[in-house]
């Protein structure tokens, strides 16, 4: 028995909206975003960085904060909120100040490049690549992560029989694998479209040897560079006047992690439509404080006492996983992202099977009619 569109819709959480309606809203959201970015590109060509450009871009920033509210499906609202409500506003604000990847002048970005770089986690490489970053990972690397992520289905189906902390631990691993695979796919498609190289997104975070190494050089590097330019640099500049150059990085680090936590709260609100309980913010502030302490210790020790990486590596990864299980994953489970994603996957698969069955028997129906 094939699954009709109406049956498919019953599997979506919340309102029983038609699939066609959700897809149409998704198209309209991104069409509106592209038009707004075209406007930004035009304004950027006729205005200089400063107050006037900022005021011209402000309505676009507010629009991007509103657009994800029109979507409900996890697989649509999740990426859309990350791209449009996080990356795009920060990069547009940088562009208003004449900074960031959108302000490239050698050569200036074309409209096509501007649209992609504005809202996707990609950055056109202008200089020689950092030899410490793997720009092209092997197919085996992605294959292993794909196989790990594939175990999410049986884990989810039997999660009632598994220790809750093991569930949270496995979800931490799945989150990393899903993010890296998804962002690598986005970068690959953009690379094929524009024919240029892009900066890598992840650099094997499980090999981190310090908290600074984990967040600064290995985890979601595009977000790191964006927050560094929009939050860290301005706060450090102000802090230098107040606390001096020696202590200025510390409040800048904590402020950067605070903003990251608030942005995660916003994305989880778009997905779950539940008011935040600030666990995500606590997670990032905790890591920010720990990184600030780490920086102080490094300066005081000044290389005199350095633990081997075989010791610091497992400690850093264990700290990231433990705090993730404690503070980050409860927010994921509270938003029922896993339940909604599983429901949507099953419903979509059944819908595709139903469409295939209907198409297979359509000629016979025509003949009998």
């Amino acid at each position: 028995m094939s699954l009709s569109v109406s049956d498919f819709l019953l599997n979506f959480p919340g309102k029983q909206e038609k699939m066609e309606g959700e897809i149409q809203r998704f198209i309209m959201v991104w069409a509106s975003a592209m038009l707004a970015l075209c406007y930004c590109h035009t304004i950027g060509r006729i205005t200089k960085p400063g107050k006037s450009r900022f005021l011209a871009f402000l309505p676009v920033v507010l629009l991007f904060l509103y657009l994800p509210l029109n979507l409900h499906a996890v697989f649509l609202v999740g990426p859309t909120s990350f791209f449009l409500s996080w990356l795009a506003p920060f990069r547009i604000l940088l562009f208003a100040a004449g900074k960031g990847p959108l302000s490239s002048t050698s050569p200036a970005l074309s409209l096509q490049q501007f649209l992609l770089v504005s809202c996707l986690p990609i950055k056109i490489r202008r200089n020689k690549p950092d030899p410490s970053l793997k720009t092209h990972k092997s197919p085996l690397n992605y294959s292993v992560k794909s196989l790990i992520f594939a175990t999410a289905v049986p884990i989810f189906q039997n999660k009632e029989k598994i220790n809750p902390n093991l569930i949270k631990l496995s979800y931490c691993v799945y989150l990393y694998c899903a993010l890296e695979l998804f962002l690598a796919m986005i970068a690959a498609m953009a690379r094929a479209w524009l024919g240029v190289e892009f900066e890598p997104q992840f650099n094997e975070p499980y090999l981190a040897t310090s908290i600074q190494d984990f967040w600064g050089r290995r985890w979601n590097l595009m977000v790191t560079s964006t927050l560094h330019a929009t939050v860290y640099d301005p706060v450090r500049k102000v802090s230098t006047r107040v606390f001096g150059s020696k202590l200025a990085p510390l409040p800048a680090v904590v402020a950067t992690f605070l903003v990251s936590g608030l942005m995660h709260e916003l994305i989880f609100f778009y997905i779950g439509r539940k008011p935040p309980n600030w666990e995500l913010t606590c997670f990032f502030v905790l890591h920010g404080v720990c990184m600030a302490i780490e920086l102080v210790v490094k300066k005081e020790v000044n290389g005199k006492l350095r633990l081997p990486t075989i010791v610091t590596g497992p400690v850093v990864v264990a700290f990231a996983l433990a705090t993730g299980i404690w503070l980050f994953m409860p927010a994921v489970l509270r938003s029922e992202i896993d339940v909604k994603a599983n429901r949507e996957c099953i419903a979509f698969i059944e819908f595709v099977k139903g469409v295939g069955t209907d198409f297979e028997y359509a000629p016979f129906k025509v003949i009998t009619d």
Side-chain angles (χ1 to χ4, degrees):
M1 181 179 178
S2 63
L3 187 70
S4 65
V5 174
S6 59
D7 294 329
F8 169 78
L9 300 165
L10 294 175
N11 290 282
F12 272 99
K15 297 181 179 180
Q16 297 179 0
E17 299 175 343
K18 293 183 178 180
M19 181 177 60
E20 291 89 345
E22 183 75 0
I23 294 176
Q24 288 174 1
R25 280 190 295 275
F26 177 74
I27 295 173
M28 289 302 299
V29 163
W30 277 93
S32 301
M34 292 300 102
L35 289 174
L37 291 175
C38 289
Y39 160 79
C40 291
H41 183 262
T42 302
I43 294 296
R45 296 173 71 91
I46 62 177
T47 62
K48 295 182 179 180
K51 184 177 179 181
S52 59
R53 185 184 288 186
F54 170 79
L55 293 176
F57 288 170
L58 186 57
V60 175
V61 172
L62 297 177
L63 173 66
F64 282 2
L65 294 176
Y66 164 75
L67 287 177
L69 293 173
N70 294 280
L71 302 174
H72 298 87
V74 170
F75 288 108
L76 298 182
V77 70
T80 298
S81 60
F82 173 56
F83 295 154
L84 295 187
S85 296
W86 187 341
L87 285 182
F90 280 78
R91 290 185 172 181
I92 290 172
L93 292 176
L94 281 175
F95 185 45
K99 301 177 181 179
L102 298 179
S103 298
S104 175
T105 57
S106 56
L109 296 180
S110 65
L111 176 60
Q112 185 183 40
Q113 292 174 332
F114 186 90
L115 295 178
L116 290 177
V117 175
S118 294
C119 54
L120 295 182
I122 56 178
K123 178 183 178 182
I124 298 176
R125 184 185 298 135
R126 300 295 186 186
N127 304 316
K128 292 182 179 180
D130 185 343
S132 66
L133 299 180
K134 296 181 179 180
T135 56
H136 294 286
K137 298 182 181 180
S138 67
L140 178 61
N141 185 296
Y142 289 121
S143 297
V144 170
K145 289 168 184 174
S146 298
L147 289 175
I148 293 174
F149 184 69
T151 63
V153 174
I155 290 294
F156 174 81
Q157 292 175 343
N158 297 279
K159 69 176 185 178
E160 301 298 332
K161 304 176 184 178
I162 304 175
N163 183 282
N165 288 328
L166 289 178
I167 290 292
K168 294 176 184 178
L169 175 61
S170 63
Y171 280 8
C172 287
V173 176
Y174 296 146
L175 178 63
Y176 160 61
C177 291
L179 282 174
E180 175 153 20
L181 292 171
F182 176 70
L183 294 180
M185 180 180 65
I186 293 294
M189 290 189 296
R191 185 185 301 113
W193 189 355
L194 296 179
V196 295
E197 287 297 323
F198 294 101
E199 299 286 353
Q201 307 303 314
F202 286 88
N203 185 27
E204 315 304 346
Y206 48 83
L207 299 179
T209 57
S210 67
I211 299 176
Q212 183 182 17
D213 183 41
F214 181 89
W215 290 108
R217 292 183 286 271
R218 293 187 179 275
W219 182 268
N220 210 346
L221 301 179
M222 197 54 57
V223 168
T224 298
S225 62
T226 301
L227 289 175
H228 194 282
T230 54
V231 182
Y232 179 84
D233 287 343
V235 173
R236 181 173 180 173
K237 186 176 181 180
V238 173
S239 299
T240 300
R241 302 172 184 171
V242 179
F243 304 107
S245 59
K246 186 176 181 180
L247 297 178
L250 305 184
V253 166
V254 175
T256 302
F257 277 86
L258 173 62
V259 172
S260 180
L262 294 175
M263 295 309 300
H264 277 83
E265 298 280 9
L266 179 62
I267 290 178
F268 275 71
F269 171 75
Y270 287 133
I271 295 174
R273 304 298 163 90
K274 295 179 180 179
N277 58 2
W278 309 113
E279 289 176 325
L280 292 168
T281 303
C282 291
F283 170 82
F284 284 97
V285 170
L286 174 61
H287 277 255
V289 171
C290 289
M291 183 185 290
I293 295 173
E294 183 181 86
L295 293 175
V296 172
V297 172
K298 285 182 177 180
K299 286 185 178 180
E300 293 297 327
V301 173
N302 195 23
K304 297 177 181 178
L305 177 63
R306 189 171 183 177
L307 296 175
T309 56
I310 196 174
V311 175
T312 59
V315 170
V316 170
V317 174
F319 175 73
L321 290 174
T323 53
I325 292 172
W326 173 33
L327 293 171
F328 193 95
M329 295 315 299
V332 175
L333 298 177
R334 181 170 171 267
S335 299
E336 297 183 328
I337 295 177
D338 58 333
V339 177
K340 295 175 182 178
N342 183 73
R343 183 184 295 140
E344 291 174 18
C345 282
I346 294 175
F348 183 74
I349 291 172
E350 292 299 322
F351 173 74
V352 171
K353 289 181 179 179
V355 171
T357 303
D358 291 341
F359 180 79
E360 180 180 357
Y361 290 99
F364 297 98
K365 292 181 180 179
V366 173
I367 293 174
T368 55
D369 290 342

